[in-house]
């Protein structure tokens, strides 16, 4: 089986949306990425850190999905990273109510020996130095490295972010962050500028408005599936990344054509994620559900040009 | 040739964008719709009104594109409808600086005898009673009636709008207006509710984020083409409608499958419109340009599902 290495947070989230609120539930970018990628028959591992307040049942659940959890360090006497947020009525914006870094503050990722030759590496949203440290530990150059980041690191660790960006193949970033990073309003111009910073592929996530994939002069667009109700957008971007990277790791094909399919796979996975709180839908769905949703995407964008 | 009847404003616009500003130039929904539809080998007419300050050269230009201008009434001593607006830096919002109704205030549309049997009728954004009066004058029931409207009429002429909506097949409306008309935030739910008000087909325009076509349980999505620069968004929605209706009138096929293609044609036409001020690009492009842009849309959304 092909090997996928994921670094990212494993955390507690407390979420409030117009439809309800949760106590502390399982969250974190690494969790969403790992669960989303778990549908693609991979040997995958999550590198992360939690405190000993982290329930064993969460770790057991991830392991039951085939995820190698041996590199999720459990710090004795430590507390797990905790985020609480409240979404506004339109679900397009949110306020962060609590951010407790806890054990994440001193996180030193340790890549397991048997993953130092992983085919694909997914660097979830973390300090760029933490992301770089994972790449430093690889003994075989990965076929593909994907990096996710956010405006926070552009504000407070831009030189480090620019440095790690030179070492990656694909960056995933949202539209506002692409504009901030590039200084360009047009996403076409923004992607062109981000190309020059390192990544050959630029994925711009637009939430409910879909995602764009740029590679030189080529561009591909995947819509978000129009849903009756978005229940909780938390983790949708990471779930998208997990499906994207999962498909690529499974197929070991890093052509633009295959990345297009991977973008659709990511969009399909994200469309499940938002249907319930947290990771719940990702723990319920089957491969059959995913296939059906892929077909829905085909129907959504398929048109006949012969009549024109 | 198939007959397309268009009712809509023929007007002067003065536009300011971050890239420049114009004096009074040719504008109006009827103008954009007519020019956009003129590429599809139709017998088309615009029903409208202008003052005698309206330059003959504008009328000559429309006529040179094959548009029947005999139903554009020229009011002696009257002034032409004038709109002036200024776009904000992101081009997604604008302030209206001037609205002078002038001759439009007393507009009584008169459908020419030889267009009372038109195959397709496009009711551009006007008072719903004006739109209804056009339908009243048809002697043969059209194959398809498309209506465009806006929030202004929902605020001040809702009963009249709801009445004319019962007589049409397709409504084109933007996302915020769909939410206002339906009271639903989810566009899927909004479209379902608007279906119950009359139109079998609901087209929701999302500007730079593309357009959705709903019909019962079917949904189709067309992206907007990612452009390096949007120069002037004025008229993009009407140009979209013109391409949509132009393709349908040309093919005389009102199936959902063909409407999907028509949505892409509309999106392609709109992508030209925004490249220069006003109608300029619509007067420059060729059928070849349109075919090439249609191919760009195929490339933009085409993906291979076989690998999954």
């Amino acid at each position: 089986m092909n090997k996928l290495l994921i670094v990212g947070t494993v955390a507690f989230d407390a979420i409030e949306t117009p439809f309800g609120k949760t106590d502390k539930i399982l969250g974190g970018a690494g969790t969403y990425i790992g669960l989303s990628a778990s549908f693609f028959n991979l040997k995958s591992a999550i590198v992360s850190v939690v405190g000993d307040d982290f329930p064993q049942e969460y770790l057991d659940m991830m392991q039951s999905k085939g995820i190698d959890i041996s590199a999720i360090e459990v710090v004795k006497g430590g507390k797990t990273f905790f985020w609480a947020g409240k979404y506004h009525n339109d679900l397009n914006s949110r306020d962060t109510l609590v951010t407790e870094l806890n054990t994440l503050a001193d996180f030193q990722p340790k890549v397991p020996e048997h993953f130092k030759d992983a085919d694909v590496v997914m660097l979830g949203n973390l300090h760029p130095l933490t992301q770089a440290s994972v790449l430093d530990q690889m003994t075989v150059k990965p076929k593909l490295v994907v990096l996710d980041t956010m405006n926070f690191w552009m504000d407070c660790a831009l030189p480090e972010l620019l440095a790690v960006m030179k070492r990656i193949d694909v960056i995933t970033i949202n539209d506002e962050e692409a504009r901030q990073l590039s200084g360009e309003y047009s996403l076409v111009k923004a992607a062109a500028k981000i190309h020059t910073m390192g990544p050959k592929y630029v994925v711009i996530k637009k939430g409910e408005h879909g995602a764009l994939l740029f590679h030189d002069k080529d561009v591909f667009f995947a819509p978000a599936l129009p849903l009756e109700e978005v229940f909780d957008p938390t983790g949708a971007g990471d779930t998208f990344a997990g499906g994207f990277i999962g498909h690529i790791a499974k197929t070991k094909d890093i052509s633009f054509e295959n990345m297009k399919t991977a973008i659709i796979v990511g969009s399909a996975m994200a469309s499940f994620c938002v249907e319930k709180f947290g990771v719940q839908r990702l723990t319920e769905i089957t491969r059959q559900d995913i296939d059906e949703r892929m077909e829905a995407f085909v129907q959504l964008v398929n048109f006949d040009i012969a009549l024109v």
Side-chain angles (χ1 to χ4, degrees), chain A residues 216-278:
Chain A
D216 291 338
K217 294 284 164 205
D218 290 326
V219 54
F220 174 68
F221 175 82
L225 201 68
L227 295 169
E228 286 229 353
E229 209 75 87
V230 170
F231 189 82
D232 171 20
T234 309
D238 294 311
T239 304
F240 170 87
F244 175 76
I245 203 75
H247 176 77
I248 291 174
K250 174 188 171 192
T251 53
K252 274 197 183 178
D253 174 354
I254 60 169
S255 68
F256 183 70
E257 279 309 307
N258 193 48
M259 285 211 190
K260 287 157 83 170
T261 308
I263 292 274
I264 297 286
V265 174
S267 302
M269 297 307 298
S271 75
F272 288 115
C273 175
V274 302
E275 290 178 337
K276 289 191 181 174
F277 270 130

Side-chain angles (χ1 to χ4, degrees), chain A residues 11-15 22-27 32 58 232 277-279:
Chain A
F12 289 130
D13 287 347
I15 303 163
T22 69
D23 289 328
K24 283 185 177 184
I25 59 172
L26 176 59
Y32 282 100
Y58 287 164
D232 171 20
F277 270 130
V279 301

Side-chain angles (χ1 to χ4, degrees), chain A residues 124-140:
Chain A
N125 174 35
L126 285 166
H127 193 295
L129 289 180
T130 308
Q131 295 175 316
S133 130
V134 169
L135 295 184
D136 293 340
Q137 296 173 58
M138 303 303 288
T139 53
V140 178

Side-chain angles (χ1 to χ4, degrees), chain A residues 30-207:
Chain A
T31 308
Y32 282 100
I33 295 167
L35 289 175
S36 181
S38 73
F39 290 90
F40 301 91
N41 274 323
L42 303 166
K43 204 165 146 63
S44 69
I46 300 176
V47 179
S48 196
V49 65
V50 294
D52 58 9
D53 58 347
F54 195 74
Q56 185 62 36
E57 64 179 279
Y58 287 164
L59 293 171
D60 292 345
M61 185 274 287
M62 288 193 243
Q63 199 161 26
S64 77
K65 300 287 180 185
I67 301 168
D68 185 328
I69 57 163
S70 63
I72 301 179
E73 186 188 357
V74 181
V75 177
K76 284 239 169 79
K79 287 181 72 183
T80 301
F81 173 46
F82 172 52
W83 174 84
K86 181 178 173 171
Y87 288 88
H88 300 163
N89 274 339
D90 64 2
L91 292 176
N92 278 326
S93 53
R94 67 185 185 192
D95 296 324
T96 290
L97 304 176
V98 180
T99 306
E100 293 175 6
L101 286 182
N102 297 329
T103 52
L104 192 68
D106 304 310
F107 176 41
Q108 303 285 346
K110 287 174 208 70
V111 177
E113 278 307 321
H114 54 299
F115 273 91
K116 290 185 173 174
D117 62 349
D119 305 287
V120 174
V121 176
M122 173 77 220
L123 304 171
N125 174 35
L126 285 166
H127 193 295
L129 289 180
T130 308
Q131 295 175 316
S133 130
V134 169
L135 295 184
D136 293 340
Q137 296 173 58
M138 303 303 288
T139 53
V140 178
K141 187 179 158 58
K143 273 196 185 334
L144 197 78
V145 178
V146 180
L147 175 140
D148 186 56
T149 190
M150 69 182 296
N151 49 1
F152 181 74
W153 308 116
M154 297 171 199
D155 294 335
C156 73
L158 185 59
E160 296 86 345
L161 176 60
L162 293 174
V164 73
M165 279 178 63
K166 291 192 171 48
R167 305 171 65 186
I168 63 166
D169 303 290
V170 182
I171 188 169
T172 67
I173 193 171
N174 78 27
D175 43 2
E176 285 317 309
E177 292 159 354
R179 287 174 174 136
Q180 179 175 345
L181 185 59
S182 66
E184 295 283 353
Y185 184 80
S186 153
L187 296 179
V188 176
K189 288 187 176 175
K193 210 153 177 179
I194 295 170
H195 274 318
T196 68
M197 301 174 182
K200 291 183 289 293
Y201 297 89
V202 177
V203 177
I204 298 182
K205 301 175 286 185
K206 303 200 297 171

